[in-house]
Amino acid sequence: MADPLMYLLDAIAYAGIFGILSISLNLEYGYTNLANFGKVAFFMIGAYVTAIMSSLKYPFIASSLLAILIASVIGILTSLPTLRLKEDFLAITMISLGEVMKLIIKNETWLAGGVWGISGIPPAIVIPGLTFRDRLIVQIALIYSVLIACFLLCELIVKSPYGRVLKTIREDELLASTYGKNVFKYKVQVFALGSAMSGLAGSLFAQYIGTVSPYMFEPTVTFTIWMMVILGGPANNLGAILGAFMVEGFQRSSRLIKDYFNLPLDPVNLQVMLTAILVIIVVFYRPQGLLKEKIKPYEGKIHKIITSKLMEVKSWIHRS
Amino acid sequence: MNSITWGCMYMLATLGLSLSYGLSRFPNFAHAEYITFGAYMAFMFLTMFGLNIYLSIGLAVVLSALLGGLSFLLLFKPLKSRGASLIHLMISSIGLSFLIRHFLMQVFGGGIQSFKIIWPTISIGPIVTTPLLLAILATALITAISLHIMLTKTKLGKAIRAAADNPELAAASGIDLNRISLFTWSLGAALAGFSGIFLAMRSSLVPLLGWKVLLQTFAITLLGGIGSFYGVLIASFILGLSENIGVVILTWLGLSADYRSAIAFIILVATLIIKPEGIAAVARRRA
Amino acid sequence: MSGKSKAVSTSIALIAIVVVAIIAGAVGYYAGQAAAQEAYRRGYNEGRQAGLTEGRQQALQEVSPVLPREIKIGCIMSLTGLLGPMGTNIVKGVQLAVDEVNSRGGIAGRRIVLIVEDDGTDPSKGLEALKKLVEVDGCQIVIGPMASGVLRAMGNYTNEHKVVLISPTATAPYITTEFPDDYVFRTVGSDTLQGKALGELLVKRNASRVVILVMNNPYGIGIMEEAKKVLGTRVIKTITYDPSKLDFTTELQMVKDLKPDGVLYVGYYEDGKIMFRQALEMGLDNILWVCAEGVYGDPMFEDPAAAEFMARACIGTRPSAPVGLESYEIFKSKFRAKFGEDPSMYADTAYDATMMAILAIAKAGDYNGTKIREALKDISQTFMGASGYKVFDENGDQLYQVYEIWDVVKVDGKYEFEAIGYWP
């Protein structure tokens, strides 16, 4: 029976997963100016690790943790030789890296199902006897808890002294290094964290869809995530999430709209072209994106609040 | 023989990218779409307007030049003057590439088109070839020679070289960067369009035509040294050769030939790690 | 304290934004609801053609009025992406069936509405499209998708939600084993059979040194694996290639150096044309090339060199009807009349899939997935479509799949496909 709410919930779930990806890219690009154009590669790694682990009958906790670990390790490995490069070289390298990783997965059937992909990945939380809608809601709860956790984590980072170093690196690397900061080390750390988050998102994605296949991880995915960050506003975590909602919503609605209005163009082409135009316009007129970066008066407030709360909890524990 | 042909096609495709990259200091991802655009334009003139093939190619090349020049004028130059960051320029070029590609898909449909031209085989000694391959060779040769002459003998050419080498100094010497850039972008796009036509004739015309060779063009640009004309020349053939040899090695090793794209990638990464300035720097040092 | 209120206002802002986004999405949908009925009515009024046999026409009229006012059939095709070029033609087979039935009054006077979605040859997009069709449009039966990989992502959902899925083109062997006795059907034979057929063909022709040259995708590799079982030690080399490459001279040179007496080839039109043209240039036409149906079709003849090569060196198999192709000829002429072009590979299986779907809905008398599924199984027992006898086995696969052995001949300067035998 028709149940459009399910479709809406599905869209929300997708937006949530992509929100995690956007936040991770935001951390890398928005705050540290790292041009990671290979994001889909880490997304894919996370998804595939989970898929392989599931086929070996490991529970989701184990597979997602392993996914995070492997994604960040590969992130570190690939960043070591490349992060010293200028942004444009980095971008080109990362894209190619993503493609090569996909090639490996596609061709090495013994490793990861090759062109067939892997299917039958069970959802992370299985509560028997639930309706479809309830299961979706459980999924959304899971995805969004992760999303909120990542959001808080990133907010903590950027509002802290560590975050200030990142922003300095973004603005002027030379300046940061004169302060005695090992710029390279910071970049690698951020990249590792971003990759770990992407891996986690991939993990969630795999258990949500239930299948993985190399055809699901084209470079277009990376560009979509970039658009989310740019539109929503780089250097603003809320903006990244907003961007994810916007782009995903846009893609979904174009599928729906074409049923109601006779579009002059093929819906896919129309949607892509509009998104591209939108991105160009944003880059042109409002490079800060929709939500600007929050600076100065707000600096450190959430950080202070959270740490003060933690202090309270700590002293409460000590007292009792 | 095959490597040579591919080297020529790569060369035509990449010259524009390398030069524009050198001048404007950012990689134009939309360059791949100039390739696709040229091919579709030629197709359009040939089959839909029924024009003579030479005229079709000519018009397509001119239109490609127009596209390149316009994208510079309307998009990249204004962005640069607003102080857009490198990443912003790249992102907008990606946006532009999607725009062009899907526009072409909208107009021509997403399916495969073919030029439907019969190329009789010609045998020259032990080499079996067709007029198409000879045309590719000839075009590449003529392009290489005329560009060489232009770059070394004419004032415009020297200005381009100066600007590619050191834009600030060139501007200070009174060279009009904008004019040079416009010319280079248009020329580069024209060559790209040309290569697109050849590519499509060699295989078939699909919207992803340019995207398929994007990685290779970047590898060549970096290997040869950004902005270096001679670098591109040499690197194109190196890549063409290595891809073919690489496939043989891959299959011999029992791996799939699908890894072909990985070859370009390996060259790219190796270049960046060992010598990011590319071959041009090596040559210059020797001079 | 200003700090605290700032925190509160942020959280409120955060929640507000999320809520706004959700509301925006919901409003967007419901706003269009009113226009929906209008648009559907405006939509699919096309073609007036003869063509339904009287028997089928009867079946469509004997239906209880439990059916909704408009009967929706969903369709998921690859209109963009890797299989895009093929999808644009195949979807017309589906449209032809729907329009034909509508022109005869639909199912008991109710119009059939076809909703087509693109999956971009991407499994996650395909799943999303299916969700949209089932959840937003309320479809209980969907024709498609094309790629086996996409079908795989949709299988569990289909079975859970009890909607019927009929794919006209997914040929991967694993679909049989992964989704047994369920809501997934296909009107084309699994490649388990075609791989065997190709292999046995080579054996029959006394090929003892065989090179396997296949595309690196489920189609190519699926056939390769099955064929290898038949060919055994005759296979001296297996080469998998990337079909989106534009040049295969290196692979062909390797084939040449191996000096085989037979080549087993799996490709599509785009790469096939290039492959054959270059093979001709390299003088590989003195070997027997046994090909799968991916290269069966008139588009191959657009390249004269490829056509010539095929005439000299290729034979192949393709899934086909066991006896005379009259139903196919009827289908072909209708297709041509409506669209002005010839049906491509699989347009006929798509047409059959749709026809069977329509008949199953009529027989079920109720727009309900489970009932439709049962009806579908019954219908298939006596269904002879444009691509042959389409009875399903217990796994929803084709019980019989006969493969026609074809050859390419040059008649009066024109190239044609010719049937030279059948398998088994």
Side-chain angles (χ1 to χ4, degrees):
Chain A
M1 283 293 99
D3 190 0
L5 182 62
M6 291 270 282
Y7 189 66
L8 189 62
L9 291 177
D10 180 66
I12 292 178
Y14 259 80
I17 294 181
F18 276 91
I20 301 177
L21 285 166
S22 303
I23 291 185
S24 73
L25 181 63
N26 193 20
L27 193 67
E28 292 164 358
Y29 167 62
Y31 289 107
T32 330
N33 209 31
L34 295 175
N36 183 3
F37 276 90
K39 185 140 288 290
V40 69
F42 302 102
F43 184 49
M44 181 177 72
I45 291 175
Y48 262 92
V49 168
T50 306
I52 297 175
M53 295 282 285
S54 306
S55 62
L56 295 174
K57 302 280 182 280
Y58 285 99
F60 183 70
I61 296 286
S63 52
S64 58
L65 283 177
L66 192 63
I68 297 178
L69 191 65
I70 295 186
S72 54
V73 163
I74 296 191
I76 296 178
L77 286 177
T78 51
S79 64
L80 285 177
T82 54
L83 276 185
R84 296 188 195 272
L85 300 173
K86 227 158 60 89
E87 302 104 8
D88 46 354
F89 292 157
L90 183 62
I92 299 173
T93 314
M94 297 305 315
I95 297 183
S96 330
L97 197 72
E99 282 300 284
V100 170
M101 282 201 239
K102 197 174 74 194
L103 274 179
I104 296 179
I105 287 195
K106 195 168 154 204
N107 284 295
E108 301 309 316
T109 317
W110 56 270
L111 178 65
V115 294
W116 307 120
I118 303 175
S119 77
I121 308 168
I125 304 174
V126 181
I127 306 174
L130 284 186
T131 66
F132 294 129
R133 190 184 297 203
D134 292 340
R135 271 196 271 159
L136 242 193
I137 294 185
V138 169
Q139 284 278 357
I140 291 183
L142 175 66
I143 295 174
Y144 275 78
S145 348
V146 175
L147 176 65
I148 292 178
C150 289
F151 173 74
L152 287 175
L153 180 66
C154 284
E155 283 289 292
L156 264 176
I157 290 179
V158 304
K159 301 283 191 275
S160 73
Y162 190 87
R164 273 197 284 279
V165 177
L166 294 182
K167 284 184 225 174
T168 320
I169 295 179
R170 178 185 72 196
E171 301 302 332
D172 192 336
E173 275 188 41
L174 208 52
L175 189 64
S177 54
T178 56
Y179 277 130
K181 301 289 179 189
N182 185 348
V183 170
F184 188 65
K185 195 178 74 163
Y186 278 92
K187 281 186 177 178
V188 173
Q189 286 172 352
V190 167
F191 200 78
L193 186 58
S195 309
M197 265 196 254
S198 313
L200 184 56
S203 211
L204 289 168
F205 191 60
Q207 60 89 33
Y208 184 72
I209 305 265
T211 337
V212 287
S213 114
Y215 300 107
M216 285 160 70
F217 301 104
E218 294 293 318
T220 340
V221 178
T222 311
F223 297 141
T224 310
I225 303 173
W226 271 90
M227 284 184 199
M228 292 174 179
V229 173
I230 298 258
L231 283 178
N236 186 315
N237 286 319
L238 215 55
I241 301 181
L242 184 65
F245 269 90
M246 277 174 55
V247 174
E248 184 67 28
F250 190 51
Q251 286 184 347
R252 294 273 173 144
S253 49
S254 57
R255 206 188 263 286
L256 296 173
I257 289 178
K258 78 164 190 320
D259 286 339
Y260 300 142
F261 302 108
N262 255 340
L263 296 172
L265 301 174
D266 186 344
V268 176
N269 291 332
L270 181 66
Q271 170 214 313
V272 174
M273 289 195 340
L274 277 183
T275 320
I277 293 178
L278 200 60
V279 168
I280 293 181
I281 292 179
V282 167
V283 170
F284 229 88
Y285 292 113
R286 202 188 156 91
Q288 321 92 293
L290 223 57
L291 296 182
K292 290 203 242 194
E293 177 177 10
K294 296 213 171 85
I295 43 175
K296 278 299 130 70
Y298 212 62
E299 192 89 1
K301 286 296 193 228
I302 284 194
H303 176 79
K304 282 206 197 115
I305 293 165
I306 296 183
T307 39
S308 66
K309 288 281 178 223
L310 284 175
M311 285 288 140
E312 280 183 44
V313 174
K314 220 160 122 186
S315 54
W316 180 79
I317 294 177
H318 279 308
R319 251 184 273 135
S320 52
Chain B
M1 181 64 198
N2 180 50
S3 313
I4 298 180
T5 322
W6 273 96
C8 293
M9 285 200 283
Y10 280 146
M11 184 190 88
L12 290 173
T14 319
L15 273 171
L17 178 65
S18 188
L19 289 174
S20 72
Y21 196 167
L23 267 183
S24 309
R25 295 275 183 248
F26 80 95
N28 176 18
F29 285 89
H31 190 84
E33 308 308 320
Y34 299 152
I35 299 176
T36 320
F37 182 77
Y40 269 104
M41 287 296 113
F43 174 75
M44 182 179 80
F45 288 123
L46 192 63
T47 53
M48 285 161 55
F49 294 158
L51 296 177
N52 163 272
I53 182 166
Y54 295 108
L55 192 59
S56 306
I57 295 182
L59 279 173
V61 171
V62 167
L63 279 181
S64 307
L66 214 66
L67 181 66
L70 278 177
S71 52
F72 174 72
L73 273 179
L74 295 177
L75 184 61
F76 299 120
K77 192 170 76 130
L79 273 179
K80 283 198 82 175
S81 54
R82 283 166 193 262
S85 76
L86 182 53
I87 295 186
H88 278 136
L89 285 167
M90 286 197 287
I91 301 251
S92 54
S93 75
I94 294 177
L96 182 64
S97 76
F98 276 118
L99 201 60
I100 298 177
R101 189 182 327 145
H102 280 263
F103 176 72
L104 289 172
M105 275 174 77
Q106 182 58 43
V107 173
F108 295 100
I112 314 170
Q113 320 275 9
S114 84
F115 276 95
K116 297 188 173 71
I117 302 176
I118 311 162
W119 302 104
T121 52
I122 307 174
S123 294
I124 305 179
I127 307 174
V128 179
T129 177
T130 73
L132 176 63
L133 301 184
L134 291 175
I136 296 176
L137 256 172
T139 314
L141 215 60
I142 297 175
T143 311
I145 295 178
S146 36
L147 272 182
H148 170 77
I149 296 177
M150 186 193 80
L151 285 177
T152 47
K153 301 285 192 279
T154 70
K155 206 169 83 162
L156 179 66
K158 294 200 190 137
I160 293 180
R161 283 166 68 206
D165 214 20
N166 195 334
E168 293 80 18
L169 193 56
S173 318
I175 297 177
D176 184 350
L177 272 184
N178 282 329
R179 213 164 56 91
I180 305 277
S181 301
L182 184 61
F183 177 75
T184 313
W185 276 75
S186 310
L187 180 63
L191 288 175
F194 221 140
S195 75
I197 301 175
F198 284 137
L199 271 171
M201 285 188 182
R202 195 96 214 285
S203 57
S204 47
L205 184 56
V206 278
L208 291 173
L209 192 69
W211 180 257
K212 286 191 217 177
V213 293
L214 184 67
L215 181 58
Q216 281 86 327
T217 54
F218 273 118
I220 297 172
T221 306
L222 288 170
L223 180 62
I226 303 174
S228 159
F229 167 67
Y230 303 103
V232 173
L233 282 187
I234 303 176
S236 313
F237 290 100
I238 294 182
L239 186 67
L241 201 62
S242 7
E243 277 193 332
N244 284 319
I245 297 179
V247 171
V248 176
I249 297 180
L250 282 172
T251 321
W252 180 74
L253 285 173
L255 296 170
S256 162
D258 210 8
Y259 281 115
R260 194 184 199 247
S261 339
I263 297 174
F265 169 68
I266 292 177
I267 292 184
L268 193 136
V269 170
T271 315
L272 284 178
I273 296 182
I274 302 175
K275 192 145 213 74
E277 306 87 45
I279 295 180
V282 175
R284 223 173 280 160
R285 203 169 294 172
R286 295 241 187 87
Chain C
M1 273 180 288
S2 64
K4 242 200 181 117
S5 60
K6 271 270 171 74
V8 172
S9 59
T10 324
S11 338
I12 292 182
L14 176 65
I15 296 172
I17 287 174
V18 171
V19 169
V20 164
I22 295 178
I23 291 182
V27 166
Y29 172 75
Y30 286 113
Q33 186 72 17
Q37 305 299 339
E38 219 9 70
Y40 282 151
R41 221 156 290 152
R42 238 189 292 129
Y44 297 85
N45 248 338
E46 291 195 350
R48 297 273 174 259
Q49 288 160 54
L52 290 176
T53 64
E54 285 313 309
R56 277 192 224 166
Q57 187 58 23
Q58 258 326 96
L60 286 175
Q61 297 305 325
E62 288 160 6
V63 155
S64 63
V66 180
L67 291 172
R69 222 171 345 119
E70 276 173 343
I71 299 177
K72 297 184 192 169
I73 295 187
C75 177
I76 299 184
M77 286 280 138
S78 297
L79 300 172
T80 58
L82 229 62
L83 295 179
M86 289 177 72
T88 40
N89 189 298
I90 295 177
V91 74
K92 291 184 180 152
V94 179
Q95 283 167 348
L96 183 64
V98 170
D99 294 342
E100 242 192 84
V101 174
N102 273 338
S103 70
R104 286 309 201 96
I107 302 180
R110 287 152 173 81
R111 250 186 38 150
I112 304 172
V113 173
L114 181 67
I115 309 173
V116 180
E117 294 294 336
D118 175 33
D119 66 13
T121 329
D122 177 341
S124 55
K125 278 222 186 97
L127 182 60
E128 187 238 313
L130 181 64
K131 286 183 184 173
K132 183 249 178 192
L133 286 172
V134 172
E135 294 162 7
V136 175
D137 296 311
C139 289
Q140 288 285 299
I141 181 162
V142 174
I143 313 287
M146 285 168 57
S148 306
V150 179
L151 178 56
R152 197 183 207 189
M154 296 158 66
N156 281 324
Y157 184 86
T158 314
N159 288 332
E160 284 180 354
H161 290 254
K162 301 200 175 5
V163 292
V164 178
L165 200 60
I166 311 180
S167 172
T169 56
T171 53
Y174 61 64
I175 294 184
T176 317
T177 47
E178 273 193 35
F179 308 118
D181 189 27
D182 59 357
Y183 288 80
V184 176
F185 295 88
R186 359 189 216 173
T187 51
V188 66
S190 156
D191 277 332
T192 325
L193 295 172
Q194 180 156 204
K196 242 172 116 190
L198 289 169
E200 289 183 8
L201 197 55
L202 278 165
V203 172
K204 232 175 22 169
R205 300 254 170 155
N206 295 320
S208 55
R209 294 171 52 83
V210 174
V211 171
I212 300 186
L213 180 64
V214 297
M215 293 185 293
N216 188 31
N217 62 13
Y219 176 46
I221 299 201
I223 292 186
M224 169 193 84
E225 288 176 353
E226 293 302 322
K228 263 189 175 163
K229 292 183 196 164
V230 171
L231 290 170
T233 51
R234 291 183 187 78
V235 180
I236 53 176
K237 190 83 185 154
T238 304
I239 305 176
T240 56
Y241 69 90
D242 171 12
S244 65
K245 226 174 51 159
L246 306 173
D247 173 77
F248 306 111
T249 38
T250 327
E251 283 90 346
L252 289 169
Q253 186 61 45
M254 286 193 285
V255 173
K256 197 168 182 182
D257 293 336
L258 288 163
K259 296 200 196 359
D261 51 10
V263 174
L264 192 146
Y265 177 70
V266 180
Y268 285 138
Y269 296 151
E270 191 193 338
D271 45 295
K273 275 192 287 188
I274 307 173
M275 184 71 78
F276 290 156
R277 178 178 3 116
Q278 295 179 336
L280 184 67
E281 289 171 10
M282 296 179 67
L284 284 165
D285 52 325
N286 48 5
I287 316 170
L288 178 69
W289 285 62
V290 171
C291 315
E293 88 279 13
V295 294
Y296 180 96
D298 290 336
M300 289 303 287
F301 298 151
E302 282 171 8
D303 185 327
E308 183 60 30
F309 181 80
M310 288 180 81
R312 290 188 201 175
C314 296
I315 62 172
T317 59
R318 69 172 192 121
S320 108
V323 280
L325 295 158
E326 197 187 320
S327 47
Y328 181 77
E329 291 305 318
I330 297 177
F331 161 71
K332 187 170 170 182
S333 56
K334 283 189 220 165
F335 193 98
R336 235 194 227 140
K338 186 175 174 68
F339 297 112
E341 54 180 302
D342 275 342
S344 74
M345 200 67 227
Y346 299 124
D348 50 354
T349 50
Y351 178 82
D352 288 341
T354 320
M355 271 302 186
M356 284 205 279
I358 295 174
L359 288 171
I361 297 175
K363 178 144 203 244
D366 188 359
Y367 193 65
N368 168 284
T370 317
K371 297 204 184 142
I372 296 177
R373 169 190 175 223
E374 292 312 311
L376 187 61
K377 289 192 198 173
D378 288 338
I379 295 281
S380 75
Q381 305 286 340
T382 54
F383 185 87
M384 179 67 89
S387 54
Y389 184 36
K390 293 264 124 212
V391 60
F392 292 123
D393 66 12
E394 68 270 5
N395 291 320
D397 279 354
Q398 289 293 289
L399 184 60
Y400 300 118
Q401 184 62 67
V402 170
Y403 289 88
E404 165 198 288
I405 305 175
W406 51 263
D407 191 7
V408 174
V409 293
K410 197 168 175 180
V411 174
D412 297 328
K414 241 180 69 109
Y415 294 96
E416 281 178 1
F417 285 102
E418 186 185 55
I420 57 174
Y422 289 98
W423 182 94

